Amino acid sequence: MATNDILRQLRCPICNQRKLCGPEEMLQILRDAGMLRREAKPDWPIMLELFSHHCQNLRCRDCGHNELLLEEARDDFDFDDSRACEVCRKLIPPERIEIFPNAQRCATCQDKPSTQADDFCSRCGGLVSVRTQGGAGVSRYVAVCADCGLRQ
């Protein structure tokens, strides 16, 4: 049996995260779920059918979505270079990752300010968020307290 005949990939339909699974990994996942406890070496078609039904209960490690999809393994896909944008959760194009190997955002979201505010207001202790301010074609970012409105 060829390698591609026994390898499958789990794919999240939301963030497109992919994971390559072989028979040993599938068997371990099924045993952890309480299936195939008595079978030392289960039949491949039975194990594949059980695993395809069990994929609906698996959770994506990146976005937490349930119901992963089981697909045939593809030869043209480099599994290490698949990455979802941290802002919009869409797949970052492989060309961008090739040029910028440490990119965590897609080109559309690259210039957006971070929505995670780690700063607190010096006056009231409220959460500070980053907003855009500007006019006449020039924009700048300003940190503003959500509670008291203090600009920092």
Side-chain angles (χ1 to χ4, degrees), residues 42-138:
D43 218 17
W44 171 247
I46 293 171
M47 187 173 73
L48 189 59
E49 187 66 28
L50 281 172
F51 191 74
S52 65
H53 287 294
H54 183 65
C55 289
Q56 298 170 0
N57 301 328
L58 296 177
R59 190 176 281 274
C60 177
R61 67 176 180 207
D62 283 355
C63 68
H65 179 74
N66 282 348
E67 297 184 28
L68 297 180
L69 303 173
L70 185 67
E71 301 172 337
E72 296 285 330
R74 296 179 0 197
D75 285 339
D76 62 339
F77 188 78
D78 187 3
F79 290 94
D80 295 333
D81 288 343
S82 175
R83 202 175 308 149
C85 174
E86 66 183 7
V87 177
C88 67
R89 306 302 302 164
K90 292 182 182 175
L91 189 64
I92 299 174
E95 296 84 14
R96 179 169 176 77
I97 294 175
E98 185 177 334
I99 295 170
F100 304 108
N102 297 327
Q104 296 297 319
R105 295 180 176 195
C106 65
T108 308
C109 299
Q110 183 60 41
D111 294 330
K112 291 183 180 177
S114 178
T115 57
Q116 299 173 347
D118 295 326
D119 296 327
F120 297 96
C121 179
S122 58
R123 182 191 301 164
C124 69
L127 208 53
V128 174
S129 62
V130 177
R131 297 184 187 160
T132 57
Q133 177 187 19
V138 178

Side-chain angles (χ1 to χ4, degrees), residues 133-144:
Q133 177 187 19
V138 178
S139 297
R140 66 184 187 128
Y141 298 108
V142 179
V144 179

